[in-house]
Amino acid sequence: MLKNAKAKLAIILIITGLIGILSIGITTIITLENMVLENNSEIIKTTIIKIEIILCIITLIYIILSIFVGILISKKVIEPSEKLIDASEENVKEVSKQKKQIETMLLHMTDGILAFDMDGKISLTNPAATRLLRIMPEDDTFDKIFGKYNINVNLEKVIYLENWTSTAQRVAIGDNYIYMFFAPLRNEDETPNGVIVVIQDITEHVKLDNMRKEFVADVSHELKTPITSIMGYADTLLEGEYDKQTQEKFLNVIATEARRMAKLVTDLLTLSKYDNDEERTKKAEFDLGDLVKKCQEKLQIEIQKKHHNAECFVTANVPAVYADRDGIERVVLNILSNSIKYTPEKGTIKMYVGYIYNDAYVKIIDNGLGIPEEDLNRIFERFYRVDKSRTREMGGTGLGLSIAKEILDKNNGSIDIKSKKDKGTEVVIRIPIKK
Ligand code: ADP
């Protein structure tokens, strides 16, 4: 565009110059020719020819000079300025590209960003900030936005007092935990220019942290109960003279409590192995019906002790499943022993093995104590027990079902529990069959 304009300008200048020269020359010649017509003077005739020759030479020199001056101007002035304009056009493009990139980043960032000028007016915001801080259209200043939350921060403090340092705040907004990070914005010459706030949703983090704390508290509590009991009975035995029968009674309590601790620790280790992915599922093909029957055999003594009527039904031709056999055995043993434990004497326990579509299933149904509806969706939580004292007496750790769920997750399977208080419980596990 610019080159075109330059060419046009040069041509216009040359043509104007030419018209000027030619018009002066031609006017002079016409005047002289008129004089020739009047006087028929030979001198004037030769003067006209001379003038014509001079005119030609001047025109030629003019054209050569114009071209020369044109080239000179183009080299010294126009080309450098053209380069300058090209470069700045490039810069403008680059800046707008970067601006677009930053805008897209801000738009899709999960963290919120807010910037304020020195008067506390919003100068930049993104959707995450609006969502996390629940900013309304009328909230357009620092004070309006942060005044709502009980936090110890104001614009002046961030800009002037916290010289080069930053302030972090944590608030609960509704069900969410929000972390806010305030830092001063400065110009190149270090003068303050405003404040920037980074906002993060740390709800998941806080929840996990709480879960971890709860878990540690639960483990300590679960271990403390048997330890207290063991220490109590051991000290009593050491301090006094007791007859053989009492000694045996006390030693039995110590042994039971020690076994409970051992089971708890084993369960915890199993969980932690699955958590750390250490327990790599060594998958293999096996027959689910056989496995359930073997589990029943393993628990036969417990079944007989409580005079339960336990039966196992296996549908014909259940395809082999492909899973971690030891893990699945642990799951079935846990579910079956729960049925035995939480069903009063002379109960009925039925086990079914079958398959639907791509999954084989084991269904274990008892007519025992059942689980109240309000506890049902918490049953897979670690240490969750419906009736803490009662189930602890029965030797439960509250970890069995959470381990079962973990194992089935690792094997692409699933576990579901249906139950009615005082009526009974039905647990179904599904495991993929070998394709
Ligand atoms: P526990 O080691 O205490 O048995 P689980 O994780 O296996 O732990 O089970 C969690 C809780 O679910 C048990 O404490 C018990 O209250 C309840 N529960 C599990 N299975 C049954 C069942 N078949 N009948 C009644 N309650 C059950």
Side-chain angles (χ1 to χ4, degrees):
M1 196 192 94
L2 195 90
K3 276 181 187 143
N4 243 343
K6 184 181 86 179
K8 272 185 204 158
L9 189 76
I11 290 167
I12 289 170
L13 279 177
I14 293 172
I15 291 173
T16 332
L18 272 178
I19 292 171
I21 294 168
L22 290 176
S23 52
I24 294 171
I26 290 165
T27 326
T28 319
I29 290 168
I30 291 171
T31 323
L32 289 175
E33 270 177 358
N34 282 342
M35 285 165 77
V36 173
L37 284 180
E38 281 166 20
N39 307 335
N40 200 11
S41 155
E42 276 304 313
I43 302 166
I44 295 174
K45 271 184 190 167
T46 47
T47 313
I48 288 174
I49 292 166
K50 274 181 196 163
I51 287 175
E52 278 172 352
I53 292 167
I54 291 169
L55 202 62
C56 283
I57 293 168
I58 288 177
T59 312
L60 212 68
I61 291 172
Y62 173 77
I63 290 173
I64 291 168
L65 264 180
S66 331
I67 290 171
F68 182 72
V69 171
I71 290 171
L72 209 70
I73 289 175
S74 151
K75 275 254 152 22
K76 294 277 173 217
V77 182
I78 297 179
E79 270 176 24
S81 63
E82 236 175 38
K83 272 186 195 151
L84 214 67
I85 291 168
D86 277 351
S88 65
E89 269 178 1
E90 242 353 272
N91 267 344
V92 170
K93 265 191 209 153
E94 189 56 32
V95 167
S96 76
K97 192 174 133 196
Q98 280 178 3
K99 190 169 166 257
K100 195 87 211 142
Q101 278 175 350
I102 290 173
E103 276 172 4
T104 316
M105 257 166 60
L106 285 173
L107 187 71
H108 298 290
M109 253 171 86
T110 46
D111 286 354
I113 299 278
L114 276 176
F116 297 91
D117 61 17
M118 292 295 284
D119 298 326
K121 283 235 174 316
I122 291 188
S123 56
L124 182 142
T125 173
N126 72 343
T130 314
R131 179 172 49 81
L132 292 173
L133 295 182
R134 304 182 179 180
I135 301 175
M136 298 291 163
E138 63 271 19
D139 301 336
D140 53 356
T141 64
F142 188 94
D143 292 339
K144 278 189 195 161
I145 292 172
F146 297 105
K148 288 193 276 188
Y149 310 112
N150 185 23
I151 51 172
N152 176 26
V153 69
N154 63 50
L155 197 73
E156 290 72 28
K157 192 173 154 197
V158 179
I159 295 175
Y160 298 108
L161 294 182
E162 319 273 314
N163 201 10
W164 278 119
T165 62
S166 46
T167 316
Q169 296 277 342
R170 197 170 130 167
V171 284
I173 301 178
D175 289 339
N176 292 348
Y177 290 93
I178 304 294
Y179 177 83
M180 298 182 233
F181 178 86
F182 298 82
L185 274 175
R186 280 163 206 277
N187 290 324
E188 271 169 22
D189 60 356
E190 307 279 295
T191 52
N193 185 11
V195 165
I196 187 142
V197 190
V198 181
I199 302 128
Q200 287 174 323
D201 185 352
I202 52 162
T203 314
E204 277 309 305
H205 181 82
V206 172
K207 273 191 190 156
L208 278 176
D209 205 40
N210 287 346
M211 265 167 71
R212 191 182 53 80
K213 283 182 192 153
E214 252 171 53
F215 185 72
V216 173
D218 281 341
V219 171
S220 322
H221 180 79
E222 294 295 332
L223 286 173
K224 199 169 171 244
T225 320
I227 286 177
T228 314
S229 197
I230 290 174
M231 282 191 330
Y233 282 99
D235 286 344
T236 320
L237 276 177
L238 284 173
E239 278 160 15
E241 292 281 319
Y242 294 96
D243 57 56
K244 184 108 178 74
Q245 207 188 352
T246 318
Q247 280 184 10
E248 218 165 75
K249 202 175 126 199
F250 286 4
L251 283 172
N252 259 327
V253 177
I254 293 176
T256 313
E257 293 296 314
R259 259 183 233 116
R260 174 174 312 175
M261 273 175 65
K263 181 169 183 331
L264 184 70
V265 172
T266 317
D267 280 358
L268 284 171
L269 284 174
T270 311
L271 258 183
S272 117
K273 268 189 200 160
Y274 279 103
D275 279 351
N276 298 333
D277 245 8
E278 263 177 47
E279 194 84 333
R280 282 196 201 295
T281 41
K282 303 168 277 308
K283 289 187 183 171
E285 248 178 275
F286 62 90
D287 188 284
L288 199 57
D290 282 354
L291 182 127
V292 175
K293 281 180 191 154
K294 282 210 181 88
C295 290
Q296 188 187 348
E297 276 163 32
K298 280 191 180 176
L299 295 173
Q300 201 54 41
I301 297 175
E302 266 94 322
I303 293 173
Q304 273 163 3
K305 260 192 211 162
K306 289 193 80 176
H307 310 289
H308 287 319
N309 169 23
E311 280 180 284
C312 180
F313 306 92
V314 181
T315 312
N317 305 327
V318 177
V321 294
Y322 186 68
D324 159 28
R325 195 180 192 285
D326 293 346
I328 301 300
E329 181 176 318
R330 179 188 275 274
V331 173
V332 175
L333 281 174
N334 179 255
I335 298 168
L336 187 55
S337 67
N338 277 351
S339 281
I340 300 167
K341 270 193 288 183
Y342 304 118
T343 301
E345 290 206 353
K346 296 196 180 127
T348 307
I349 299 169
K350 289 200 167 110
M351 290 153 269
Y352 298 90
V353 182
Y355 74 100
I356 15 167
Y357 305 118
N358 294 324
D359 289 339
Y361 67 83
V362 181
K363 194 186 278 185
I364 300 180
I365 305 175
D366 65 56
N367 63 345
L369 302 173
I371 301 163
E373 203 178 333
E374 62 268 25
D375 295 298
L376 215 48
N377 56 354
R378 298 197 57 192
I379 218 80
F380 294 108
E381 285 175 20
R382 293 175 183 188
F383 296 113
Y384 194 83
R385 286 175 297 205
V386 173
D387 178 344
K388 287 234 171 199
S389 55
R390 191 192 66 200
T391 48
R392 195 181 286 129
E393 264 168 39
M394 292 177 178
T397 57
L399 288 173
L401 288 177
S402 47
I403 296 178
K405 189 161 166 39
E406 199 99 17
I407 292 175
L408 287 164
D409 280 351
K410 287 259 164 19
N411 284 283
N412 305 319
S414 65
I415 178 164
D416 291 293
I417 297 194
K418 277 191 236 159
S419 188
K420 266 215 154 73
K421 196 173 157 28
D422 300 325
K423 288 270 183 288
T425 304
E426 175 185 316
V427 185
V428 183
I429 63 166
R430 288 189 188 80
I431 306 152
I433 55 176
K434 171 94 183 161
K435 293 221 176 74

Coordinates of all heavy atoms in Angstrom, one line a residue, residues 292 308-313 335-336 338-340 342-343 347-353 361-370 416-420 423-429:
V292 N -16.6 -69.6 45.6 CA -17.6 -69.4 46.6 C -17.8 -70.6 47.5 O -17.8 -70.5 48.7 CB -18.9 -68.9 45.9 CG1 -20.0 -68.8 47.0 CG2 -18.7 -67.6 45.2
H308 N -26.4 -71.8 61.5 CA -27.0 -71.2 60.4 C -27.3 -72.3 59.3 O -26.6 -73.3 59.3 CB -26.1 -70.2 59.7 CG -26.0 -68.9 60.5 ND1 -27.0 -68.3 61.1 CD2 -24.9 -68.1 60.8 CE1 -26.6 -67.2 61.7 NE2 -25.3 -67.1 61.5
N309 N -28.3 -72.0 58.5 CA -28.5 -72.9 57.4 C -28.0 -72.2 56.1 O -28.6 -71.2 55.6 CB -30.1 -73.1 57.2 CG -30.4 -73.8 55.9 OD1 -29.6 -74.4 55.3 ND2 -31.7 -73.6 55.5
A310 N -26.8 -72.6 55.7 CA -26.2 -71.9 54.5 C -26.2 -72.8 53.3 O -25.8 -74.0 53.4 CB -24.7 -71.5 54.9
E311 N -26.6 -72.2 52.2 CA -26.7 -73.0 50.9 C -26.0 -72.2 49.8 O -26.2 -71.0 49.7 CB -28.1 -73.3 50.6 CG -28.7 -74.5 51.4 CD -30.1 -74.7 51.0 OE1 -31.0 -73.9 51.4 OE2 -30.4 -75.7 50.2
C312 N -25.4 -72.9 48.9 CA -24.8 -72.3 47.7 C -25.4 -72.8 46.4 O -25.5 -74.0 46.2 CB -23.3 -72.5 47.8 SG -22.4 -71.7 46.4
F313 N -25.9 -71.9 45.5 CA -26.5 -72.4 44.2 C -25.6 -71.8 43.1 O -25.5 -70.5 43.1 CB -27.9 -71.8 44.1 CG -28.8 -72.2 45.3 CD1 -28.9 -71.4 46.3 CD2 -29.5 -73.4 45.3 CE1 -29.8 -71.7 47.4 CE2 -30.3 -73.8 46.3 CZ -30.4 -72.9 47.4
I335 N -17.8 -60.8 52.9 CA -19.2 -60.7 52.8 C -19.9 -61.8 53.6 O -20.9 -61.6 54.3 CB -19.7 -60.6 51.4 CG1 -19.1 -59.4 50.7 CG2 -21.2 -60.6 51.2 CD1 -19.2 -59.4 49.2
L336 N -19.4 -63.1 53.3 CA -20.0 -64.2 54.0 C -19.9 -64.2 55.5 O -20.8 -64.5 56.2 CB -19.4 -65.5 53.4 CG -20.0 -66.8 53.8 CD1 -21.5 -66.8 53.5 CD2 -19.4 -68.0 53.1
N338 N -19.6 -61.5 57.3 CA -20.5 -60.5 57.8 C -21.9 -61.1 58.0 O -22.6 -60.9 59.0 CB -20.6 -59.3 56.8 CG -19.5 -58.3 57.0 OD1 -18.7 -58.4 58.0 ND2 -19.3 -57.4 56.1
S339 N -22.4 -61.9 57.0 CA -23.7 -62.5 57.1 C -23.8 -63.4 58.3 O -24.8 -63.5 59.0 CB -24.0 -63.3 55.8 OG -24.4 -62.4 54.8
I340 N -22.7 -64.2 58.5 CA -22.7 -65.1 59.6 C -22.7 -64.3 60.9 O -23.5 -64.6 61.8 CB -21.4 -66.0 59.6 CG1 -21.4 -66.8 58.3 CG2 -21.3 -66.9 60.8 CD1 -20.1 -67.5 58.0
Y342 N -23.6 -61.1 61.5 CA -24.7 -60.2 61.8 C -26.1 -60.8 61.6 O -27.1 -60.1 61.3 CB -24.6 -58.9 60.9 CG -23.2 -58.2 61.2 CD1 -22.3 -58.0 60.2 CD2 -22.9 -57.8 62.5 CE1 -21.1 -57.4 60.4 CE2 -21.7 -57.2 62.7 CZ -20.8 -57.0 61.7 OH -19.6 -56.4 62.0
T343 N -26.1 -62.2 61.6 CA -27.4 -62.9 61.6 C -27.5 -63.7 62.9 O -26.6 -64.4 63.2 CB -27.4 -63.8 60.3 OG1 -27.2 -63.0 59.2 CG2 -28.8 -64.5 60.3
G347 N -30.0 -68.7 61.5 CA -30.4 -67.8 60.4 C -30.2 -68.6 59.0 O -29.8 -69.7 59.0
T348 N -30.7 -67.9 58.0 CA -30.6 -68.6 56.6 C -29.7 -67.7 55.8 O -29.9 -66.5 55.7 CB -32.0 -68.6 56.0 OG1 -32.9 -69.3 56.9 CG2 -31.9 -69.4 54.7
I349 N -28.7 -68.4 55.2 CA -27.8 -67.6 54.3 C -27.7 -68.3 53.0 O -27.5 -69.5 52.9 CB -26.3 -67.6 54.9 CG1 -26.3 -66.9 56.3 CG2 -25.4 -66.9 54.0 CD1 -25.1 -67.0 57.1
K350 N -28.0 -67.6 51.9 CA -28.1 -68.2 50.6 C -27.0 -67.5 49.7 O -26.9 -66.3 49.7 CB -29.5 -68.1 50.0 CG -30.5 -69.0 50.7 CD -31.7 -69.2 49.8 CE -32.5 -70.3 50.3 NZ -33.8 -69.9 50.9
M351 N -26.3 -68.4 49.0 CA -25.3 -67.8 48.0 C -25.7 -68.2 46.6 O -26.0 -69.4 46.4 CB -23.9 -68.3 48.3 CG -23.3 -67.8 49.6 SD -22.2 -69.0 50.3 CE -23.2 -70.0 51.4
Y352 N -25.7 -67.2 45.7 CA -26.0 -67.6 44.3 C -24.8 -67.1 43.4 O -24.3 -66.0 43.6 CB -27.2 -66.8 43.8 CG -28.5 -67.2 44.6 CD1 -28.9 -66.4 45.7 CD2 -29.3 -68.2 44.2 CE1 -30.0 -66.8 46.4 CE2 -30.5 -68.5 44.9 CZ -30.8 -67.8 46.0 OH -31.9 -68.1 46.7
V353 N -24.5 -68.0 42.5 CA -23.4 -67.6 41.5 C -24.0 -67.7 40.1 O -24.6 -68.7 39.8 CB -22.2 -68.5 41.6 CG1 -21.1 -68.0 40.6 CG2 -21.6 -68.5 43.0
Y361 N -21.7 -62.9 38.7 CA -22.0 -62.3 39.9 C -22.1 -63.3 41.1 O -22.3 -64.5 40.8 CB -23.3 -61.5 39.8 CG -24.5 -62.4 39.6 CD1 -25.2 -63.0 40.7 CD2 -25.0 -62.6 38.3 CE1 -26.3 -63.8 40.5 CE2 -26.1 -63.4 38.1 CZ -26.8 -64.0 39.2 OH -27.8 -64.8 39.0
V362 N -21.9 -62.8 42.3 CA -22.1 -63.6 43.5 C -23.1 -62.8 44.3 O -22.9 -61.6 44.5 CB -20.8 -63.8 44.3 CG1 -21.1 -64.6 45.6 CG2 -19.7 -64.4 43.5
K363 N -24.2 -63.4 44.7 CA -25.2 -62.7 45.5 C -25.3 -63.5 46.8 O -25.5 -64.7 46.8 CB -26.5 -62.8 44.8 CG -27.6 -61.9 45.3 CD -28.9 -62.1 44.6 CE -29.0 -61.4 43.3 NZ -30.3 -61.6 42.6
I364 N -25.1 -62.8 48.0 CA -25.2 -63.4 49.3 C -26.3 -62.8 50.1 O -26.3 -61.6 50.3 CB -23.8 -63.3 50.0 CG1 -22.7 -64.0 49.2 CG2 -23.9 -64.0 51.4 CD1 -21.3 -64.0 49.7
I365 N -27.3 -63.6 50.4 CA -28.5 -63.1 51.1 C -28.6 -63.7 52.5 O -28.5 -64.9 52.6 CB -29.8 -63.4 50.3 CG1 -29.6 -62.9 48.8 CG2 -31.0 -62.8 50.9 CD1 -30.7 -63.3 47.9
D366 N -28.8 -62.8 53.5 CA -29.1 -63.4 54.8 C -30.4 -62.8 55.4 O -30.9 -61.8 54.8 CB -27.9 -63.1 55.8 CG -27.7 -61.6 56.0 OD1 -28.6 -60.9 56.5 OD2 -26.6 -61.1 55.7
N367 N -30.9 -63.4 56.4 CA -32.1 -62.9 57.1 C -31.8 -62.3 58.5 O -32.5 -62.6 59.4 CB -33.2 -63.9 57.1 CG -32.9 -65.1 57.9 OD1 -31.7 -65.3 58.2 ND2 -33.8 -65.9 58.3
G368 N -30.6 -61.6 58.5 CA -30.1 -61.2 59.8 C -30.6 -59.8 60.2 O -31.7 -59.4 59.9
L369 N -29.7 -59.1 61.0 CA -30.0 -57.8 61.6 C -30.3 -56.7 60.6 O -31.1 -55.8 60.9 CB -28.8 -57.3 62.5 CG -28.4 -58.3 63.6 CD1 -27.1 -57.8 64.2 CD2 -29.5 -58.4 64.6
G370 N -29.7 -56.8 59.4 CA -30.0 -55.8 58.4 C -29.3 -54.5 58.8 O -28.7 -54.3 59.9
D416 N -22.7 -54.0 45.4 CA -24.0 -53.3 45.8 C -24.6 -54.0 47.0 O -24.6 -55.2 47.1 CB -24.9 -53.3 44.6 CG -24.5 -52.5 43.5 OD1 -24.4 -51.3 43.7 OD2 -24.1 -53.1 42.4
I417 N -25.1 -53.1 47.9 CA -25.8 -53.7 49.1 C -27.2 -53.2 49.2 O -27.5 -52.0 49.0 CB -25.0 -53.3 50.4 CG1 -23.6 -53.9 50.3 CG2 -25.7 -53.8 51.6 CD1 -22.9 -53.9 51.6
K418 N -28.1 -54.2 49.4 CA -29.5 -53.8 49.7 C -29.8 -54.4 51.1 O -29.3 -55.5 51.4 CB -30.5 -54.4 48.7 CG -30.6 -53.7 47.4 CD -31.8 -54.3 46.6 CE -31.3 -54.7 45.2 NZ -32.1 -55.6 44.6
S419 N -30.5 -53.6 51.9 CA -30.7 -54.1 53.2 C -31.9 -53.5 53.9 O -32.3 -52.4 53.6 CB -29.5 -53.9 54.1 OG -29.6 -54.6 55.3
K420 N -32.6 -54.2 54.8 CA -33.7 -53.7 55.5 C -33.4 -54.1 57.0 O -33.1 -55.2 57.3 CB -35.0 -54.3 55.1 CG -35.7 -53.4 54.1 CD -37.2 -53.5 54.2 CE -37.9 -52.3 53.7 NZ -37.9 -52.3 52.2
K423 N -34.6 -57.3 58.8 CA -35.2 -58.2 57.8 C -34.0 -59.0 57.2 O -34.1 -60.2 57.0 CB -35.9 -57.4 56.7 CG -37.2 -56.9 57.1 CD -38.3 -57.9 56.9 CE -39.7 -57.3 57.2 NZ -39.9 -57.2 58.6
G424 N -32.9 -58.3 56.8 CA -31.8 -59.0 56.2 C -31.1 -58.2 55.2 O -31.4 -57.0 55.0
T425 N -30.1 -58.8 54.7 CA -29.1 -58.0 53.8 C -28.9 -58.8 52.5 O -28.8 -60.1 52.6 CB -27.8 -57.7 54.5 OG1 -28.1 -57.1 55.7 CG2 -26.9 -56.9 53.7
E426 N -28.7 -58.1 51.4 CA -28.4 -58.8 50.1 C -27.2 -58.0 49.5 O -27.2 -56.8 49.3 CB -29.6 -58.7 49.2 CG -29.2 -59.3 47.8 CD -30.4 -59.1 46.8 OE1 -31.6 -59.3 47.2 OE2 -30.1 -58.7 45.7
V427 N -26.1 -58.7 49.4 CA -24.9 -58.1 48.8 C -24.6 -58.8 47.4 O -24.6 -60.0 47.3 CB -23.6 -58.3 49.7 CG1 -22.4 -57.6 49.1 CG2 -23.9 -57.9 51.1
V428 N -24.4 -58.0 46.4 CA -24.1 -58.5 45.1 C -22.7 -58.0 44.6 O -22.5 -56.7 44.7 CB -25.2 -58.1 44.0 CG1 -24.9 -58.7 42.7 CG2 -26.5 -58.5 44.5
I429 N -21.9 -58.9 44.2 CA -20.6 -58.4 43.6 C -20.6 -58.9 42.1 O -21.1 -59.9 41.8 CB -19.3 -58.8 44.3 CG1 -19.2 -60.4 44.3 CG2 -19.3 -58.3 45.7 CD1 -17.8 -60.8 44.7

